[in-house]
Amino acid sequence: MNPTVHSLSRAHRPAEGRREPLQRAIAAAEAALLQHQAVDGHWCFEFEADCTIPAEYILMMHYMDERDADLEAKMAVYLRRKQEHHGGWSLYHGGHFDMSASVKAYFALKLAGDDPEAAHMRRARSAILAHGGAERANVFTRITLALFGQVPWRAVPFIPVEILLFPRWFPMHIYKVASWSRTVMVPLFILCSLKPQAKNPTGVQIRELFTRPPEDIDDYFAHALQGWVSRIFLWFDRLGRTMEPWIPGALRRRAIARAEAWFIERLNGEDGLNGIFPAMVNAHEALALLGYEAEHPYRQQTRAALKKLVVERAGEAYCQPCVSPVWDTCLALHALLEAEGDVAEPAKRSMQWLLDRQITDAPGDWRERRPELAGGGWAFQYANPYYPDLDDTAAVAWALARARRPEDRPAIERAANWLAGMQSRNGGFGAYDVDNTYYYLNEIPFADHKALLDPPTADVSGRVLAFLAILDREVDAPVRARLIQYLLREQEASGAWFGRWGTNYIYGTWSVLMGLAEVRNPSAEVRDAMSRAAHWLRSVQQDDGGWGESNDSYADPGLAGLGQESNAAQTAWACLGLMAAGDRDSESLRRGIDWLQRHQEQPGDWRDPYFNAPGFPRVFYLTYHGYKIYFPLWALARYRNLTERHCV
């Protein structure tokens, strides 16, 4: 453990009067968490994204002419409620106007029957036109518009299905992009190659959102030209589009057959292609285009998978981007282990649920780079055997290792072997893939979101380190050494670490500190890095004692750790990070713990409306609704355990 732990003098021991309220807060939070536990032991909180997902659900129903009028009406209520003061829609709560989210939300509302002259629609239309019009929407939005006949196909990148036939050495290959990219792209290749038109039974169009007639616009890609590499790719894009009529029919049929076989093999039943909404929608629409009848088992599966993502209430509904049961369950388990100090019955049930879902022998895509590596990971969703991820695997295995039950050792060993085998050359770990660092691919016209890849990140790597360090196998010593050096190189000059999968520097810093804290006999370099990180966390603490960082920090690093009012999840991360760095009862830590206690609500959880994670930084954001319960519980319980341990 970190040797910078400060022993408490009597002057710094928590007062007796503070212990009882702290214990009451922990008990209330634990009770609130257990109320959400399913009978079989798992947790799955709602997982909410921005309005593009429910808008796309409505668009999909009209594309397929598979309308559910009641559901459509409820989703329209949700979209209207989420419209921001600027007239459009944002990527996260309280965020700035976003063109693509606004265009899709407006289109979906118009499809749902909203009068374009209604006040909210006029406000939205004015905001869209003031920001350059629908022609400035991103690539994925323009593909949707092309499918609905609202823009010409030259408004979207040239992504022919023949890409599936490229050899592995070719600069563009589906296994050179991230797992989420390839599962979205393969069925999309079919759609963009065959260029179908949406059924659109009501005949709705949105030409009023363009500053010029869409067919007259010749600069759809102008905003994406940010360097010579992107200009070269755009030239190749135009060349390919010119040559498309000469592609032999037999070659196209062969490519379509390969794409069809590839995504059908990975359909994943009612859990859906890669368990993510965009891939599921593309698969659903591609199956129809390929001639599969509505009652074909594949169509039934894709339809059911999409419907399972819907959260429907009495008055409104929305669609989740995916579901998060494994992630929620393992993090709730960490909090329970901290609160209970032993493996109580609720923890045992959650552990068994997780153990039953370890992926050991599936033909996952990870084998493309590691063909001889045996399985041992966990996926994010209920079932997704092709795509276990390193972050879930590390978090689950770390929790199992903390519980120290001998019967879990085989599963823990399998996880450690799989993770160690997935280390990238630079010492870090990506979310799903090894060495997914073909950065030039982020310059192709299709990748205007700059999220085509899955390179190693500090936050995932920090959790892998936490697990491998607590396990402390001799065979993993070289892996751990390279991993620590990677994390030291990734530390910002400020002392923080960037957070790829949670907002943002507070999350990244917490993630790495929790890993470094598990290292036995850390070097002076590691101790110094931890000290600088703790200093940074204290420097961004707010006046009320909490922490809050806006997703704006992804666009403006000057807002690292700042830009948002204090909230439960980020305050808990900061407190956990400080304790991992050796803090035990400093003024900064006490103020953070006090903030969590003061803002706890009945029946024991916290109000936290903020989006706390990026799907893709600067493009797509999420809020894990469980973060406002299990992270504060984890922080409060750890604080109690550390202070009591040092009060002698």
Side-chain angles (χ1 to χ4, degrees), residues 265-269 271-272 274-275 357-367 375 377-389 418:
E265 183 181 353
R266 292 161 174 77
L267 275 183
N268 194 28
D271 291 289
N274 204 3
R357 280 153 185 81
Q358 189 174 29
I359 298 167
T360 58
D361 59 358
D365 278 8
W366 85 82
R367 296 185 189 273
W378 278 266
F380 185 77
Q381 303 88 349
Y382 286 104
N384 195 4
Y386 268 86
Y387 300 104
D389 71 272
W418 186 71

Side-chain angles (χ1 to χ4, degrees), residues 502-546:
T503 308
N504 172 352
Y505 293 92
I506 294 175
Y507 179 89
T509 302
W510 159 72
S511 300
V512 176
L513 284 173
M514 294 293 279
L516 293 176
E518 298 289 0
V519 175
R520 300 188 184 188
N521 302 315
S523 66
E525 189 178 13
V526 168
R527 294 196 302 271
D528 177 66
M530 296 175 75
S531 177
R532 291 192 294 116
H535 176 76
W536 177 80
L537 285 172
R538 297 186 195 101
S539 75
V540 295
Q541 187 172 22
Q542 302 198 17
D543 291 341
D544 63 1

